């Protein structure tokens, strides 16, 4: 299945060029989210991970395991990004579930994909978090597995060599057809589409990137074209590019993969 993600029925319309992303401060979030809402649509959250006065408070929300993981990062910048991302995840899930964010428990799949555990598991809430540089992107739905990927558009790298190493043969052929000045955008489109699917599958790198094929044109709808491992999987998933708002637009690309038909969505940016 393929999709250009669209706004849900009843959502405000937007003029051409106007961003559909709504900026919310933490105290405003509860008015816009609920378990019932994400049973019908996907919520996407852009979370800033730059230096913040909130870092100390964020760390108090983390579990002992998360604090240990943060401490293993070599650079303070990476520790900060991890801590703020996990705290933002906990805060938002806590609002959806009406629970203490610090008390949420997570279980991890064979490839490390987190899911809610304990009493919150029965909610059916599904989520996936991706981060790139000073931003994280969180996708939230209910009752459907999903994956999201956010990547900075690469510069100054031998993208052709990477494509030939990791992409499926059909993707490499399509990628070779792009002009040199189009390849960074095309590479990032293919990569984010594939990573979103891997995260939705819950397979991580245990599933080779060349084991399935996605559409390559960044200007055309995202599609899962085929899978080598289970051909029926191609009909199970919807894949879509996410139109980002400034300051992410133009510097990043993002993609969403989700079980079932293409979703309606709402986009939010969490303001400091």
């Amino acid at each position: 299945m393929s999709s250009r993600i669209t706004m849900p029925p009843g959502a405000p319309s937007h003029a051409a060029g106007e961003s559909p992303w709504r900026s919310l401060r933490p105290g405003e979030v509860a008015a816009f989210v609920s378990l019932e809402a994400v049973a019908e649509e996907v919520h996407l959250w852009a979370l800033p991970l730059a230096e913040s006065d909130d870092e100390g408070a964020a760390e108090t929300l983390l579990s002992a395991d998360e604090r240990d993981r943060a401490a293993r990062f070599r650079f303070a910048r990476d520790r900060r990004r991890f801590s703020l991302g996990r705290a933002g995840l906990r805060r938002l899930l806590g609002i959806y579930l009406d629970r203490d964010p610090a008390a949420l428990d997570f279980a991890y799949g064979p490839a490390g994909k987190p899911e809610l555990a304990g009493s919150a598991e029965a909610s059916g809430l599904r989520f996936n978090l991706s981060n790139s540089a000073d931003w994280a992107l969180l996708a939230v739905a209910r009752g459907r597995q999903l994956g999201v990927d956010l990547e900075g558009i690469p510069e100054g790298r031998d993208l052709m060599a990477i494509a030939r190493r990791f992409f499926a043969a059909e993707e490499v052929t399509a990628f070779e057809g792009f002009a040199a000045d189009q390849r960074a955008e095309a590479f990032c489109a293919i990569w984010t589409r594939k990573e979103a699917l891997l995260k939705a599958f819950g397979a991580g790198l245990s599933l080779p990137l060349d084991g399935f094929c996605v559409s390559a044109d960044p200007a055309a709808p995202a599609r899962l074209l085929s899978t080598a491992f289970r051909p029926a999987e191609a009909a199970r998933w919807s894949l879509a590019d996410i139109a980002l708002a400034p300051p992410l637009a133009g510097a990043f690309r993002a993609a969403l993969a989700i079980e079932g038909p293409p979703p309606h969505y709402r986009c939010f940016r969490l303001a400091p």
Side-chain angles (χ1 to χ4, degrees):
M1 297 182 185
S2 67
S3 159
R4 289 186 183 276
I5 299 183
T6 56
M7 292 299 292
S13 60
H14 298 276
E18 184 181 352
S19 168
W21 290 78
R22 180 189 291 270
S23 182
L24 297 177
R25 295 192 178 278
E28 300 171 321
V29 171
F32 290 86
V33 307
S34 69
L35 283 176
E36 291 73 21
V38 288
E40 303 294 334
E41 61 197 25
V42 176
H43 287 182
L44 297 164
W45 292 89
L47 311 179
L49 305 180
E51 291 187 19
S52 166
D53 294 337
D54 191 43
E55 290 177 43
E59 290 181 3
T60 66
L61 298 179
L62 304 186
S63 67
D65 173 67
E66 288 168 329
R67 289 194 294 271
D68 287 344
R69 289 175 62 186
R72 289 197 290 270
F73 286 100
R74 179 178 178 184
F75 298 108
R77 173 196 63 194
D78 299 322
R79 291 193 295 272
R80 180 195 75 234
R81 290 170 174 170
F82 175 84
S83 297
L84 290 176
R86 294 295 292 208
L89 168 68
R90 283 180 170 274
R91 284 172 172 148
L92 288 170
L93 295 183
I95 294 171
Y96 281 99
L97 296 163
D98 194 21
R99 294 176 181 238
D100 178 0
L104 294 176
D105 293 320
F106 297 103
Y108 296 86
K113 183 179 181 180
E115 294 184 347
L116 287 165
S119 59
E121 183 180 5
S123 69
L125 196 66
R126 301 286 184 265
F127 65 91
N128 198 236
L129 182 70
S130 178
N131 67 278
S132 181
D134 279 339
W135 289 95
L137 186 65
L138 172 67
V140 182
R142 191 177 183 191
R144 294 201 276 174
Q145 290 291 350
L146 76 170
V148 69
D149 191 52
L150 174 71
E151 301 286 347
I153 296 175
E155 298 179 359
R157 302 177 65 182
D158 188 351
L159 300 179
M160 186 63 74
I162 300 172
R164 288 170 176 162
R165 179 178 178 186
F166 292 107
F167 289 174
E170 299 93 328
E171 294 164 342
V172 173
T173 299
F175 184 66
E176 289 173 338
F178 288 101
D181 62 351
Q182 299 174 317
R183 284 182 179 163
E185 186 86 16
F187 179 91
C188 205
I190 298 170
W191 191 272
T192 52
R193 293 167 182 178
K194 292 174 82 69
E195 283 287 334
L197 282 161
L198 278 180
K199 296 175 77 176
F201 298 157
L205 295 178
S206 64
L207 180 66
L209 279 170
D210 62 1
F212 59 99
C213 182
V214 301
S215 54
D217 187 347
R223 292 186 294 152
L224 172 58
L225 301 177
S226 63
T227 63
F229 50 98
R230 286 193 297 273
E233 287 289 296
R236 178 185 170 193
W237 300 94
S238 295
L239 183 63
D241 295 322
I242 299 168
L244 299 171
L248 287 83
F252 295 83
R253 283 193 69 98
L256 171 75
I258 189 167
E259 279 184 304
H264 298 298
Y265 84 136
R266 292 181 190 267
C267 291
F268 304 100
R269 176 182 171 185
L270 194 61

